[in-house]
Amino acid sequence: MPTKLDGKAVAAALKDELRDRVAALRERGIEPGLGTLLVGEDPGSLKYVAGKHADCAEVGIRSIRRDLPADADFGHIAAAVRDLNEDPACTGFIVQLPLPSGVDENAIIGMIDPAKDADGMHPYNLGELVLHVNGAVSTPLPCTPRGVLTLLDHYGIGLDGKHVCVLGRGITIGRTIGLLLTRRDVNATVTLCHTGTPDIEERMRQADVIIAAVGSAGFVRPDCVKPGAVLVDVGVSRVWDETAGRFRIKGDVDPACYELASAYTPNPGGVGPMTRAMLLANVVDMAERAAR
């Protein structure tokens, strides 16, 4: 039987560990704080930010929330970023995307203090990850790639010498996870596939691990999966369920693939909880580095 990689259970265990680390910091007079900057009232973003603050309450991290109206311009958003950069109570923070149309998201992300970049997506921190093939990385890591590797490690799934096929070239995971997978302590070989990749099905069939992040429900079909492969589903699509009369979240991996796999992540309940846990871990890491 294939192993279900339960992100909810692993994230809960990680939160227990983080709760102890936060308590140890508090004994030294240090209170980690996570900030969020949300512009507008997108339902998905509102729910996601609320979940982050609920996670903070679980482990004892201070929540710092900055909300701006949907018509906030670049100057107002930039001022809020500077405010969080300068706030001593804020250990690290995120700018919730997407931002309003016409606002340069990369410019806003570039204004974040790299030492407070809780998402690990600042150009400086990504550059540090590029530079360090060996040894420990002392800068924040991208949350979703870090969550994927932590989940696989928890279940004892080694990637040394494995062929990993990554589907999708988005910055959240597609373009960044290869930086972690090809470090010598992981030692995987990575093929990055996207809309310009010919024979993408054949490339999937050759892979020991498929990490799917294209946002297309059921994109990975049973005929694309090598028996015994590990399937990591990061894609999120809202699909209308006529029977239930509502939208449901669907992943990139067709559930019919599971019986062929040696291990798989459910969606939802796999990578998503790990991403949120890694955000907390980045903040605690930052507080511990500052304390040292």
Side-chain angles (χ1 to χ4, degrees), residues 10-24 59 146 150 154 278 281 284-285 288:
V10 178
L14 287 170
K15 287 178 183 177
D16 287 340
E17 176 191 329
L18 291 171
R19 194 176 296 111
D20 291 340
R21 291 167 62 188
V22 170
V59 301
R146 183 182 182 186
T150 301
H154 177 86
M278 291 303 103
V284 175
D285 290 345
E288 291 173 339

Side-chain angles (χ1 to χ4, degrees), residues 67-224:
D67 292 352
L68 294 176
D71 59 357
D73 61 16
F74 183 92
H76 287 97
I77 299 170
V81 170
R82 287 193 293 270
D83 178 60
L84 288 167
N85 281 338
E86 296 166 5
D87 185 350
C90 177
T91 307
F93 69 96
I94 65 142
V95 176
Q96 181 66 38
L97 302 179
L99 294 176
S101 177
V103 175
D104 187 337
E105 293 182 347
N106 288 336
I108 292 295
I109 297 301
M111 295 178 67
I112 296 172
D113 179 349
K116 289 192 171 188
D117 171 28
D119 259 340
M121 301 298 286
H122 188 281
Y124 174 85
N125 292 327
L126 292 177
E128 283 290 301
L129 185 54
V130 170
L131 287 172
H132 293 90
V133 178
N134 301 304
V137 180
S138 61
T139 49
L141 296 175
C143 292
T144 302
R146 183 182 182 186
V148 168
L149 267 64
T150 301
L151 183 60
L152 294 175
D153 183 66
H154 177 86
Y155 282 92
I157 298 173
L159 298 176
D160 187 357
K162 300 298 184 181
H163 176 202
V164 181
C165 180
V166 179
L167 307 177
R169 52 185 164 187
I171 191 65
T172 301
I173 185 164
R175 289 174 63 82
T176 50
I177 194 166
L179 298 174
L180 289 173
L181 288 168
T182 53
R183 283 171 49 80
R184 283 198 173 88
D185 59 349
V186 180
N187 221 31
T189 297
V190 179
T191 298
L192 174 58
C193 297
H194 45 75
T195 52
T197 302
D199 301 324
I200 195 167
E201 292 87 359
E202 183 58 31
R203 296 175 191 271
M204 284 191 272
R205 291 186 198 104
Q206 297 170 1
D208 302 305
V209 181
I210 296 175
I211 300 176
V214 295
S216 176
F219 183 83
V220 181
R221 307 180 308 274
D223 64 304
C224 302

Side-chain angles (χ1 to χ4, degrees), residues 167-168 173 204 210-221 231-237 249-255 257-258 265-267:
L167 307 177
I173 185 164
M204 284 191 272
I210 296 175
I211 300 176
V214 295
S216 176
F219 183 83
V220 181
R221 307 180 308 274
L231 304 177
V232 179
D233 193 349
V234 191
V236 176
S237 300
I249 298 298
K250 298 288 186 181
D252 286 352
V253 178
D254 185 334
C257 298
Y258 296 165
T265 64
N267 194 340

Side-chain angles (χ1 to χ4, degrees), residues 4-88:
K4 177 181 175 181
L5 307 180
D6 190 341
K8 286 184 178 179
V10 178
L14 287 170
K15 287 178 183 177
D16 287 340
E17 176 191 329
L18 291 171
R19 194 176 296 111
D20 291 340
R21 291 167 62 188
V22 170
L25 285 165
R26 284 179 178 272
E27 288 179 0
R28 301 170 61 186
I30 301 166
E31 182 180 9
L34 171 65
T36 61
L37 174 56
L38 174 65
V39 184
E41 297 183 352
D42 174 76
S45 294
L46 284 167
K47 182 178 180 180
Y48 197 54
V49 167
K52 289 178 170 70
H53 289 288
D55 290 339
C56 286
E58 282 189 55
V59 301
I61 293 175
R62 181 201 311 243
S63 288
I64 302 164
R65 183 164 179 166
R66 301 284 189 271
D67 292 352
L68 294 176
D71 59 357
D73 61 16
F74 183 92
H76 287 97
I77 299 170
V81 170
R82 287 193 293 270
D83 178 60
L84 288 167
N85 281 338
E86 296 166 5
D87 185 350

